[in-house]
Amino acid sequence: MAALMIGGAVSAQTMDISNLRSIDDADLYGPEGNKIGEVEEILVDETGTPVAAAIEFGGFLDIGDDDVVIMLEDMTYENGNFSTSLTEDQLGQLPSWDD
């Protein structure tokens, strides 16, 4: 059962969650089809609209990796996979994310 705010009141609704999928640590593929990172978080603006993602890339076994912010328009989601036309070098030029 999920609670939903409607006009300041809380209303209980039944929600079908059978089609929901977590994107925590979802792979991100680069322009050549190789895995270049993982989606760590989806970031929202002040209205709650998803606008960007925190991506972890680089390093080895979580040592030396970096987290950066990539705008959602620079990513695509198709057939269960996230991809971008940005290279790892270009990801390194994006703003850092430190949660």
Side-chain angles (χ1 to χ4, degrees), residues 4-44:
L4 178 66
M5 290 295 288
I6 301 176
V10 176
S11 171
Q13 287 188 343
T14 304
M15 181 163 73
D16 178 8
I17 60 170
S18 61
N19 291 325
L20 296 181
R21 180 175 176 270
S22 171
I23 59 167
D24 184 37
D25 294 329
D27 293 337
L28 175 67
Y29 294 90
E32 296 177 7
N34 55 322
K35 179 183 168 188
I36 61 172
E38 292 181 349
V39 176
E40 293 297 307
E41 296 180 60
I42 297 295
L43 308 175
V44 299

